């Protein structure tokens, strides 16, 4: 492995003065069969190779966004509260969001908002530190209300899957901000409920909606997809994952948003992609979509 555990990218600006950097907070290795769901191996293995245990090497990417005078962290990685056995099975290296920020010279106490795309372990596992205290003690933690409700629900599939304890600790500390649907946190940073992957999954749109713009200002927009599209390999609309709780919804919303992303030229960030980002999506001449290279 040549890449370092923790890295930060150069800042990239989007419409309305929204600055975005990628904080690479370590690695994990999800099971390829689960990750690609119904997609046959001869198709997905054109993009990525599995290890001897059938796992693929993915990144734990966070986004550090500055907009409207606020600092926003999107995603929190796995954190450090997993058991050693679980870390070993899932091939986690690093994963601590506060440590990743400090390693690249950023202070976790300066974060005003933490956005969780959903409450799975590899996105919401880092809300608390090792001692069980909020890792971002000055931040409001933004979660869709129906995601928080699903975490507390009685659906058997979700038992032990959602980060309920961490969610409750954040709520008890007065740091939870439950939102519903599409909500602008600051000008140019908007969460968008997508569902599909989990009941209350959300994506994050970056950059204000301003076609044209004034001289020199960037006019482009971006999106962080959460696990609705975890990497560039899953851009084909029907390439859903076995981890999607609502695959039919996922395909419908992917179909709508991927078409918009291609048409409007949105720059794309992915939580688990190990490659260079952001990238754009382009339509193929066969009616599908792919990563623009
Ligand atoms: Zn994930």
């Amino acid at each position: 492995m040549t890449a370092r555990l923790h890295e930060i990218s150069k800042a990239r600006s989007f419409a309305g003065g929204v600055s975005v950097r990628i904080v690479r907070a370590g690695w994990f290795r999800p099971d390829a069969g689960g990750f690609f769901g119904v997609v046959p191996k001869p198709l997905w293995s054109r993009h990525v190779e599995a290890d001897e245990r059938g796992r693929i090497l993915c990144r734990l990417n966070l986004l550090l966004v500055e907009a409207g005078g606020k600092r926003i962290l999107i995603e929190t990685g796995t954190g450090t509260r997993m058991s050693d056995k679980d870390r070993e099975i899932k091939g986690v290296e690093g994963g601590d969001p506060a440590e990743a920020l400090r390693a690249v010279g950023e202070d976790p106490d300066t974060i005003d908002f933490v956005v969780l795309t959903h409450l799975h372990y590899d996105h919401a596992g880092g809300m608390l530190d090792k001692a069980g205290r909020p890792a971002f003690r000055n931040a409001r933690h933004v979660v869709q209300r129906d995601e928080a409700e699903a975490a507390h629900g009685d659906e058997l599939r979700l038992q032990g899957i959602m980060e309920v304890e961490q969610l409750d600790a954040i709520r008890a500390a007065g740091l939870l901000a439950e939102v519903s649907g599409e909500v602008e946190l600051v000008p140019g940073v908007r969460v968008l409920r997508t569902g599909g992957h989990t009941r209350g999954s959300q994506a994050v749109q970056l950059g204000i909606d301003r076609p044209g713009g004034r001289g020199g200002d960037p006019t482009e927009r971006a999106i962080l997809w959460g696990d609705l599209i975890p990497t560039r390999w899953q851009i084909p609309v029907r390439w859903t994952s076995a981890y999607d709780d609502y695959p039919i919804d996922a395909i419908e919303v992917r179909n709508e948003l991927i078409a918009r992303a291609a048409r409007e030229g949105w720059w794309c960030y992915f939580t688990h992609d190990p490659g260079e980002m952001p990238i754009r999506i382009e339509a193929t001449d066969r009616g599908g979509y792919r990563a623009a290279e």
Side-chain angles (χ1 to χ4, degrees):
M1 189 100 13
T2 52
R4 276 170 303 158
L5 191 59
H6 302 309
E7 296 174 309
I8 191 163
S9 72
K10 282 207 289 257
R12 183 138 182 163
S13 292
F14 298 99
V18 177
S19 155
V20 177
R21 286 179 287 170
I22 304 162
V23 178
R24 309 274 195 178
W27 305 87
F28 80 129
R29 293 165 177 76
D31 181 86
F35 202 67
F36 286 105
V38 295
V39 181
K41 186 173 181 185
L43 295 185
W44 63 251
S45 60
R46 291 178 195 162
H47 298 287
V48 59
E49 227 175 276
D51 69 12
E52 72 286 351
R53 292 165 71 176
R55 307 173 306 179
I56 51 175
L57 184 62
C58 287
R59 274 284 200 179
L60 295 163
N61 297 320
L62 325 175
L63 291 191
L64 181 57
V65 177
E66 285 159 300
K70 300 290 183 192
R71 286 160 64 81
I72 300 152
L73 182 71
I74 310 176
E75 309 285 34
T76 67
T78 61
T80 55
R81 295 173 64 78
M82 292 169 73
S83 69
D84 288 346
K85 183 182 171 195
D86 217 15
R87 284 179 77 86
E88 203 277 324
I89 290 172
K90 289 166 175 153
V92 176
E93 291 172 55
D96 181 342
E99 186 189 327
L101 283 178
R102 282 192 289 265
V104 297
E106 302 292 333
D107 180 358
D109 288 350
T110 63
I111 302 296
D112 299 294
F113 290 99
V114 170
V115 177
L116 291 318
T117 61
H118 61 291
L119 293 173
H120 283 165
Y121 79 99
D122 53 321
H123 300 253
M127 288 189 278
L128 301 183
D129 66 15
K130 218 169 199 146
R133 293 173 307 229
F136 304 96
R137 57 186 183 168
N138 298 317
R140 304 192 70 200
H141 293 59
V142 181
V143 179
Q144 288 284 326
R145 177 160 290 126
D146 51 4
E147 183 74 357
E149 283 172 6
H152 273 286
D154 51 11
E155 288 177 59
L156 281 179
R157 175 173 161 104
L158 305 185
Q159 303 303 308
I161 299 294
M162 308 288 250
E163 294 288 353
V164 186
E165 278 178 36
Q166 296 206 26
L167 180 74
D168 288 347
I170 291 297
R171 193 197 307 269
L175 299 176
L176 185 64
E178 289 176 282
V179 297
S180 291
E182 194 172 327
V183 176
E184 189 166 66
L185 302 181
V186 297
V189 180
R190 185 186 296 264
V191 297
L192 181 69
R193 184 192 173 281
T194 63
H197 180 61
T198 59
R199 195 190 301 170
S201 272
Q202 58 187 352
V204 188
Q205 283 192 304
L206 301 159
I208 63 170
D209 189 5
R210 185 182 57 189
R214 285 166 304 169
D217 286 357
T219 56
E220 294 171 326
R221 302 178 80 191
I223 187 166
L224 181 277
W225 293 98
D227 275 355
L228 188 69
I229 313 178
T231 70
R232 74 190 68 195
W233 309 317
Q234 285 117 327
I235 289 171
V237 168
R238 292 182 190 80
W239 282 37
T240 55
S241 149
Y243 307 126
D244 289 340
D245 289 337
Y246 303 94
I248 292 175
D249 294 347
I251 291 171
E252 294 296 331
V253 71
R254 285 160 55 88
N255 190 43
E256 182 194 324
L257 287 177
I258 290 171
R260 271 193 73 191
R263 197 170 59 236
E264 298 178 19
W266 297 350
W267 289 98
C268 297
Y269 292 94
F270 305 98
T271 304
H272 298 315
D273 199 295
E276 288 296 316
M277 292 184 292
I279 63 157
R280 278 174 155 157
I281 292 175
E282 64 186 11
T284 69
D285 47 20
R286 300 171 62 195
Y289 297 94
R290 66 180 169 216
E293 296 299 340

